[in-house]
Amino acid sequence: MNVSYRSLRLWQRNRDVFFKLWRSEVPGFFAEPIMMLLAMGFGLGTYVALDDGERYVEFIAPGIIAAYAMFSASFECTYGSFMRMKHQKTYDSIIATPLSIDDVSAGEILWGATRSLITACVILVVVAAFGLVDSPWAVLVLPLGVLTGLMFSSIALFFTSVAPSIYSFNYYFTLFITPMFFVSGVFFPVSAFPDAMQHLTWIAPLTPVADLARTMVSGQLGEGNWWGLGIILGYTGVFFPLSLVMMKRRLLR
Amino acid sequence: MPIIQIRGAVKVFGSITAVAGVDLDIDRGECFGLLGPNGAGKTSLVRMIVGVSPMSRGSIVIDGKDITREPRTIKADLGVVPQEDNLDPDLNVVENLTTFARYFDIPGGEARHRAMDNLRLFELQDRQKAKVEDLSGGMKRRLLIARALTNRPKLLVLDEPTVGLDPQTKHLVWRKLRTLKAQGTTLLLCTQNMDEASFLCDRLAVMNEGRIVALDSPSELLSKHGGSQVIEVRVRDTEKKASVLSLMSERGLQWQEMEEAIYLFQGDGQVLDEGLASELLVVNQHVPTLEDVFLKLTGRSLKEP
């Protein structure tokens, strides 16, 4: 691997573009999670009774932070990266400068992680404004958002490196991202599943994220499934180098 | 020492050999042209030189540094103008240049200063806030060249820099390239445009099927391969074609066949004797141009089926 500080240059480029065009990002990553919180939490939630008497909106708030952190990184490093790579040929111009292909890939992943962090920040503020945060430990969801972003950006960029066309991402989202949104403990506890299925849901990378986010927002750190961090780091440890290798194979001809 | 030293460069894509062994030295400060039909291997060779495509075999040393070992330091002194527009459409005109400067670690103030200089050089200063997609084809190409000058490269590599441009823009680009050369920049130019090649280049290499088939100054290429006159003829009686062609070979004439037309390259002092002349119908004759030499060296038939 040939990653250097220069991956920061690609990160800066993406940051500049984001802050130029941020208005187009508002509906997907800021308005939608808030609508989700209102509709599911305050709407549907009034009909849902949880075992321990917790309000449903309090239950899903950390789940929504986790899920939208996932979506932000995933969109950025699939559609976003693919557009830059294939349609805009931005990478072609950049690899003729002192940046290496690995710098470009690492920069994309870092930026994807930053998008997750920004999303987590915004939703955390909204959730806090609704009075749904019980503990100052909730700020830990920000570093968790970064780790989540690194993981999902790495997985997404790996998929991008093998995607034949931009339409391929329909499969990625329909068969991988959306199912996780529903089974990883965002909307209902994974304990609702039969035992065998519960173990399976922990394979999904979103499950440890939703679980830890809930631990942090509730402030009950002692009861957290901290080994979930191992799952997150494990996926990142596999997919970060893999995506770099595969992007190089795709771009270096 | 030459600024580019290429030894035995080979590039293989699966079953296709794009570059089949090239040895080439390019001197500091010269303008060197690579000519060749589509698919001759020019772009593949250039992509290896600028370090974005790994060689299958061989070595390329740029400014004393091996391209496989020190690509970053080499690229820091390199300017590349691609054939395809790869400007950043998410950024406006001036941001394209300042963002590009950042890839070279050029600090912000200096980057803006250079961006404005280069925009003025290519008469784009009035469009600095424009979106890239709103620029005309000619402006985009000028911006691509302006961008390539950001790091003040020692070596500027241009892949067909004036294709599709109107004559005014083409001449503007040519003048700027000449100025750069006068300031000491080495230029490596891929082109299909013979006027461009003879106007700008000190030396030309003609590539065909992955190899360099001729290398000389434009005037030497002309006198060596073009002869004194090109005569396009037809054989009057097509049934006699085979015997006429063998007669021409006996006379030591150089010729090339393209469907029913035959192009004769008449050397100094060579004349068509009467026996031969009576069998031939002269369609056209002219003083050879670089284009004749090009067609002679690379064949008149289409290279890409």
Side-chain angles (χ1 to χ4, degrees), chain A residues 2-6 9 12-13 15-17 20-21 88-90 92-100 103 252-253, chain B residues 11 13 47 52-54 72 75-76 78 80 84-92 95 99-100 102-105 147:
Chain A
N2 186 11
V3 182
S4 73
Y5 74 95
R6 290 180 197 265
R9 302 289 176 236
Q12 287 171 315
R13 179 237 168 247
R15 176 204 61 195
D16 292 353
V17 172
K20 245 171 92 112
L21 307 174
Q88 304 184 176
K89 314 237 176 254
T90 310
D92 286 353
S93 65
I94 296 174
I95 61 174
T97 73
L99 272 78
S100 67
D103 290 334
L252 207 62
R253 280 170 295 110
Chain B
K11 181 74 196 183
F13 295 104
R47 283 173 53 85
V52 298
S53 170
R72 285 187 204 271
K75 288 193 234 178
L78 211 63
V80 180
E84 239 179 352
D85 155 33
N86 62 16
L87 294 165
D88 199 325
D90 294 329
L91 303 169
N92 70 24
E95 287 165 346
T99 303
F100 206 71
R102 202 159 53 196
Y103 301 140
F104 290 91
D105 287 340
R147 187 184 71 179

Side-chain angles (χ1 to χ4, degrees), chain A:
Chain A
M1 275 197 287
N2 186 11
V3 182
S4 73
Y5 74 95
R6 290 180 197 265
S7 47
L8 193 64
R9 302 289 176 236
L10 195 276
W11 182 90
Q12 287 171 315
R13 179 237 168 247
N14 287 352
R15 176 204 61 195
D16 292 353
V17 172
F18 176 78
F19 284 108
K20 245 171 92 112
L21 307 174
W22 66 273
R23 288 175 196 85
S24 61
E25 302 283 0
V26 169
F29 295 105
F30 306 126
E32 193 185 301
I34 293 163
M35 283 191 289
M36 192 68 78
L37 189 73
L38 296 176
M40 294 291 158
F42 294 105
L44 182 71
T46 52
Y47 296 92
V48 178
L50 292 173
D51 292 345
D52 54 4
E54 189 187 10
R55 281 195 303 156
Y56 185 62
V57 67
E58 278 183 66
F59 176 82
I60 64 163
I64 285 175
I65 297 176
Y68 281 86
M70 167 182 79
F71 281 127
S72 297
S74 302
F75 272 99
E76 190 62 38
C77 287
T78 52
Y79 291 103
S81 299
F82 196 83
M83 282 295 286
R84 290 188 279 277
M85 169 176 75
K86 186 103 178 173
H87 298 272
Q88 304 184 176
K89 314 237 176 254
T90 310
Y91 296 170
D92 286 353
S93 65
I94 296 174
I95 61 174
T97 73
L99 272 78
S100 67
I101 294 180
D102 286 341
D103 290 334
V104 171
S105 304
E108 287 284 339
I109 291 171
L110 283 180
W111 174 248
T114 310
R115 289 295 310 271
S116 293
L117 173 65
I118 295 171
T119 301
C121 267
V122 171
I123 307 176
L124 182 64
V125 168
V126 172
V127 165
F130 280 112
L132 303 172
V133 171
D134 304 328
S135 153
W137 290 116
V139 293
L140 286 177
V141 300
L142 301 182
L144 178 68
V146 173
L147 292 180
T148 306
L150 285 174
M151 171 175 68
F152 281 109
S153 299
S154 300
I155 300 173
L157 198 67
F158 166 71
F159 191 78
T160 298
S161 72
V162 295
S165 89
I166 200 154
Y167 303 108
S168 314
F169 297 121
N170 295 340
Y171 287 94
Y172 186 75
F173 283 91
T174 309
L175 300 178
F176 178 61
I177 297 292
T178 308
M180 270 194 292
F181 189 44
F182 293 116
V183 305
S184 293
V186 173
F187 293 109
F188 55 87
V190 289
S191 59
F193 288 119
D195 278 352
M197 182 70 186
Q198 276 189 43
H199 293 303
L200 276 178
T201 62
W202 280 94
I203 296 172
L206 183 60
T207 307
V209 179
D211 187 80
L212 288 168
R214 198 156 282 133
T215 300
M216 292 160 178
V217 172
S218 69
Q220 322 222 303
L221 301 191
E223 295 164 28
N225 297 310
W226 291 97
W227 46 269
L229 278 178
I231 298 178
I232 298 172
L233 294 173
Y235 274 114
T236 311
V238 171
F239 280 95
F240 182 87
L242 193 60
S243 66
L244 262 57
V245 168
M246 295 304 285
M247 282 302 274
K248 201 179 212 165
R249 275 180 61 162
R250 177 163 192 154
L251 290 168
L252 207 62
R253 280 170 295 110

Side-chain angles (χ1 to χ4, degrees), chain B residues 125-193:
Chain B
Q125 67 275 22
D126 299 335
R127 304 304 301 266
Q128 49 171 305
K129 299 278 181 211
K131 285 184 186 172
V132 167
E133 61 184 27
D134 294 336
L135 299 182
S136 69
M139 289 178 181
K140 281 184 188 166
R141 195 65 58 81
R142 272 143 61 196
L143 185 56
L144 275 172
I145 304 174
R147 187 184 71 179
L149 301 181
T150 298
N151 56 324
R152 300 192 175 139
K154 289 184 196 165
L155 171 64
L156 183 61
V157 180
L158 307 106
D159 197 353
E160 310 204 12
T162 61
V163 76
L165 298 185
D166 63 30
Q168 288 84 350
T169 315
K170 192 166 67 186
H171 284 275
L172 172 84
V173 168
W174 287 353
R175 280 200 310 276
K176 300 301 174 193
L177 292 180
R178 277 199 153 176
T179 312
L180 283 167
K181 186 178 162 262
Q183 291 165 352
T185 309
T186 308
L187 303 178
L188 173 59
L189 180 73
C190 282
T191 186
Q192 315 254 30
N193 181 329

